[in-house]
Amino acid sequence: MSPIRLIVVLLAIVSLAILYFSILFTLIRNNINKLYKLFEENDAFSYDRALNRQDLNAQAQSFMERAVVKRNYSADAFEFLYKNRIIKGTHDKFYFDRKNLKTEKKNANFLM
C-alpha cells in the first residue's frame, strides 16, 4: 500500500471515530437536558420528592432491546449524572442535587 493511500485510510478512520463520538456526546447531552426537565417538572430536588428510574424513562436496555428498538440514551445520561454525584439517591429513588451541579459542572463542562 502506498503511503498516500495509507494516510487517506487513516484520516478516514479518524474522521469516522470523531463523527461517532460527537454524535454520541450530542445525544447524551440532549438526554441530560431532558432528565433535568423531568426533575424540574416534578420538583425532585430533595429526597422527599425523589423519582425512580421508570419515572425518568432511564432504565438500562438489554442487548436485544438495543439491537431491535431505537436506543435510549437516557440511561447513559442518568449514569453520567449519577457517577458525577449530580443525581443522588438510593437504589430506587433519585433526586437532582443542585449544590453538586455547580461544583461538578466545571469537571463535566463538555457535556453540560
Side-chain angles (χ1 to χ4, degrees), residues 32-48:
I32 287 173
N33 292 334
K34 288 179 187 177
L35 283 176
Y36 179 76
K37 287 178 186 174
L38 283 172
F39 280 111
E40 194 173 39
E41 288 171 2
N42 293 300
D43 195 33
F45 295 110
S46 66
Y47 187 75
D48 300 333

Side-chain angles (χ1 to χ4, degrees), residues 10-57:
L10 288 175
L11 285 175
I13 292 171
V14 169
S15 62
L16 287 175
I18 290 171
L19 179 66
Y20 171 77
F21 285 111
S22 63
I23 291 171
L24 180 67
F25 286 139
T26 303
L27 291 170
I28 291 175
R29 175 188 247 176
N30 291 343
N31 281 287
I32 287 173
N33 292 334
K34 288 179 187 177
L35 283 176
Y36 179 76
K37 287 178 186 174
L38 283 172
F39 280 111
E40 194 173 39
E41 288 171 2
N42 293 300
D43 195 33
F45 295 110
S46 66
Y47 187 75
D48 300 333
R49 305 274 303 174
L51 302 170
N52 60 22
R53 285 183 84 141
Q54 290 176 335
D55 295 337
L56 297 170
N57 191 24

Side-chain angles (χ1 to χ4, degrees), residues 67-84:
V68 177
V69 297
K70 184 178 177 184
R71 179 93 192 248
N72 181 5
Y73 288 96
S74 294
D76 296 328
F78 180 87
E79 289 298 321
F80 175 79
L81 292 172
Y82 189 75
K83 287 178 182 176
N84 284 300

Side-chain angles (χ1 to χ4, degrees), residues 84-85 98-108:
N84 284 300
R85 299 182 313 263
R98 286 184 177 169
K99 295 174 190 171
N100 276 353
L101 174 65
K102 293 176 184 174
T103 58
E104 295 296 327
K105 194 170 184 179
K106 294 174 189 170
N107 299 335

Side-chain angles (χ1 to χ4, degrees), residues 1-14:
M1 194 183 261
S2 69
I4 295 175
R5 183 173 278 175
L6 181 63
I7 291 172
V8 169
V9 169
L10 288 175
L11 285 175
I13 292 171
V14 169

